[in-house]
Each structure stands twice: as structure tokens, then as C-alpha cells.
């Protein structure tokens, strides 16, 4: 069952202030985030490291960075001290790299699971190569429902994905064939199409903004299939040799 959370008692856009993967979870270190951290810790403590951090002078870490089990990409606004803090705090197998990509809100420009990434069509070629090398994924330049900020309007795990509610069936079928997981069009936080702002997931856990309705929550649970307790494995190959599309 997906868990509802709120940031700083007044914000339901939890994906803006966190980044969840199969190998680690990042949580904003800005003031007022103690209860937010506790919400993640209640499910993840002792399973994967939960690291409090900021990027540059901002606490909107989910918007600014992109990561999966193999690596973490940071924008050019990240300080040397922040980069070192993350390298010291994350598992040794996780590559941490800062990029010079002009589109510094990497979380808005890139959506990925552990195998594939959908990226903003105008991303620098060098950034695309870094994504491949650091995250270990195959990269596809795409839009979602005519939106170039694919990271804002899509959330992916190795088990499924949710996309902008205006995504057409034909487009979902094409995207599903690229990322090789079933997809569903939906919303979070009472009708918001900004999926990644109100939702953060890995292969066994999902956290939604506190405004997410019961119907929206049921869609999240059906596509991402979070489980009640953490799995016996933490990092595993859950890739499935099938493509299915929810409409």
C-alpha cells in the first residue's frame, strides 16, 4: 500500500523534496523536514540508506537530481561539499556525478528506472552520454502528452509507470514499448498531472502526497504494486520480458 506523506505541514508535493531508488533515498535537509524524514524512515530504515541533503542552496532535491540504483546525477549548482557528502553517504557501488547540463532541474527533464530513461528532447548530447554511463540505462528522447519535461509528467519503477492523464493510448503503447513496463495514465494530489511532484517510488515502496485521493491511490497501488514489508532482497533484477499497457 502506498503511503501518504506531507512536507513541512503544508506541502503535498513530496517528490519535489525527495528522491527514492532501490539503493537509497534522499530527503531534503531544509528546516521543517524532520517529520518528512520520519515518514520515509518508518518504511525504509534498516533497508536502504536515507540521506538528508540539499543541492546548491535549494531543498528541492527531487526536482534537481536524478538517480537509480547504479548512480546519481547532480546539477552544476551542487557544491563540492554536497557532492562529497553524498559520495560518503551512499553505497560504494553508486556512482555520483555532477553535470554541466544547462537544464539544471534534472528531475524534471529525466524519468528513468534501472534500465531505461526518457529524457527532454533538448538535453545536451554530453548529458545523454553521462546518463548512459552513470545510471547504466538506455536513453530515449521523448515528450509526454506534448510536454518536454518528461521527468515532471512521468514516474517509473522496474515494475510499472504512471504518466500524464492526457497521454493518448497510442503514445502510452509507444512509451511502454521503450521502457518495457506497463503504464497507466493518472493523477496525484487531487487531479495534479505533475506525477513526479506528488509521487516517489521504487520496486517495493510508494509514497504519495497527502492530498492524493483514494481512487488515485488505488491506481498507484495497481501499477506499482508496493508490498507491505520490505523484500528479502534489496537490489535485484526485476526486469520483466513483457510489455503491457493499462488504459
Amino acid at each position: 500500500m502506498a503511503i501518504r506523506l506531507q512536507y513541512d505541514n503544508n506541502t503535498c508535493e513530496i517528490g519535489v523534496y525527495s528522491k527514492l531508488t532501490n539503493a537509497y533515498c534522499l530527503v531534503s535537509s531544509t528546516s521543517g523536514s524532520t517529520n518528512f524524514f520520519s515518514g520515509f524512515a518508518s518504511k525504509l530504515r534498516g533497508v536502504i540508506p536515507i540521506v538528508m541533503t540539499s543541492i546548491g542552496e535549494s531543498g528541492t532535491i527531487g526536482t534537481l537530481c536524478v538517480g537509480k540504483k547504479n548512480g546519481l546525477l547532480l546539477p552544476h549548482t551542487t557544491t563540492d561539499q554536497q557532492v562529497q557528502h553524498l559520495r560518503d553517504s551512499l553505497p560504494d557501488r553508486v556512482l555520483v556525478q555532477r553535470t554541466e547540463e544547462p537544464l539544471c532541474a534534472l528531475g524534471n527533464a529525466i524519468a528513468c528506472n534501472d534500465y531505461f530513461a526518457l529524457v527532454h528532447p533538448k538535453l545536451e548530447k554530453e548529458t545523454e552520454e553521462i546518463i548512459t554511463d552513470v545510471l547504466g540505462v538506455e536513453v530515449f528522447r521523448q515528450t509526454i502528452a506534448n510536454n518536454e519535461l518528461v521527468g515532471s509528467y512521468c514516474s517509473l519503477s522496474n515494475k510499472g509507470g504512471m504518466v500524464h492523464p492526457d497521454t493518448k493510448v497510442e503514445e502510452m503503447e509507444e512509451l511502454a514499448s521503450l521502457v518495457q513496463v506497463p503504464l497507466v495514465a493518472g493523477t496525484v494530489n487531487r487531479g495534479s498531472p505533475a506525477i513526479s511532484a506528488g509521487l516517489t517510488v521504487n520496486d517495493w515502496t510508494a509514497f504519495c502526497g497527502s492530498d492524493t485521493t483514494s481512487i488515485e491511490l488505488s491506481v498507484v497501488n495497481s501499477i506499482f504494486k508496493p508490498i507491505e514489508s520490505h523484500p528479502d532482497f534489496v537490489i535485484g533484477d526485476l526486469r520483466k520480458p513483457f510489455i503491457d499497457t493499462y488504459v
Side-chain angles (χ1 to χ4, degrees):
M1 177 76 67
I3 300 171
R4 291 187 180 100
L5 287 181
Q6 190 176 50
Y7 180 80
D8 198 20
N9 296 322
N10 61 8
T11 300
C12 57
E13 294 186 333
I14 64 164
V16 172
Y17 300 95
S18 63
K19 182 67 64 177
L20 176 62
T21 78
N22 284 336
Y24 56 88
C25 179
L26 306 183
V27 179
S28 174
S29 62
T30 52
S31 61
S33 59
T34 302
N35 291 337
F36 189 54
F37 178 92
S38 298
F40 285 98
S42 67
K43 188 72 172 179
L44 304 175
R45 191 188 301 276
V47 185
I48 57 176
I50 310 170
V51 181
M52 298 189 74
T53 189
S54 55
I55 293 177
E57 298 181 354
S58 175
T60 59
I61 59 173
T63 297
L64 294 172
C65 73
V66 62
K68 284 299 173 183
K69 72 173 185 180
N70 298 316
L72 174 66
L73 292 181
L74 302 166
H76 60 80
T77 55
T78 314
T79 67
D80 292 342
Q81 292 80 5
Q82 290 165 341
V83 172
Q84 192 59 51
H85 166 62
L86 288 165
R87 286 175 175 162
D88 291 342
S89 302
L90 297 180
D92 292 340
R93 63 183 175 274
V94 178
L95 299 177
V96 179
Q97 185 164 334
R98 182 170 46 199
T99 77
E100 297 303 319
E101 169 60 46
L103 299 172
C104 64
L106 299 177
N108 287 343
I110 304 165
C112 68
N113 61 18
D114 289 332
Y115 302 98
F116 303 98
L118 305 176
V119 305
H120 192 294
K122 298 176 183 176
L123 215 64
E124 295 283 327
K125 179 63 176 178
E126 181 180 352
T127 304
E128 179 180 341
E129 295 171 353
I130 292 173
I131 293 169
T132 299
D133 293 341
V134 175
L135 301 185
V137 298
E138 190 172 354
V139 176
F140 302 101
R141 294 175 182 266
Q142 290 289 318
T143 60
I144 294 178
N146 295 319
N147 293 288
E148 294 183 333
L149 294 176
V150 294
S152 296
Y153 299 107
C154 176
S155 185
L156 294 174
S157 76
N158 298 329
K159 296 165 68 175
M162 180 178 287
V163 295
H164 192 289
D166 292 340
T167 308
K168 296 179 180 179
V169 173
E170 296 81 4
E171 184 180 359
M172 273 202 293
E173 291 175 344
E174 178 184 354
L175 293 171
S177 70
L178 294 177
V179 298
Q180 297 188 20
V181 294
L183 299 179
V184 63
T187 61
V188 293
N189 288 330
R190 296 188 183 276
S192 172
I195 306 298
S196 67
L199 173 68
T200 187
V201 302
N202 65 13
D203 285 347
W204 68 91
T205 309
F207 297 90
C208 296
S210 56
D211 283 352
T212 301
T213 68
S214 296
I215 293 175
E216 289 172 332
L217 201 65
S218 69
V219 175
V220 170
N221 288 327
S222 69
I223 194 66
F224 293 109
K225 298 177 173 61
I227 61 179
E228 293 303 317
S229 60
H230 69 77
D232 293 333
F233 61 90
V234 175
I235 303 299
D237 187 358
L238 298 179
R239 187 177 179 183
K240 302 292 185 181
F242 65 83
I243 301 172
D244 191 8
T245 303
Y246 283 61
V247 296

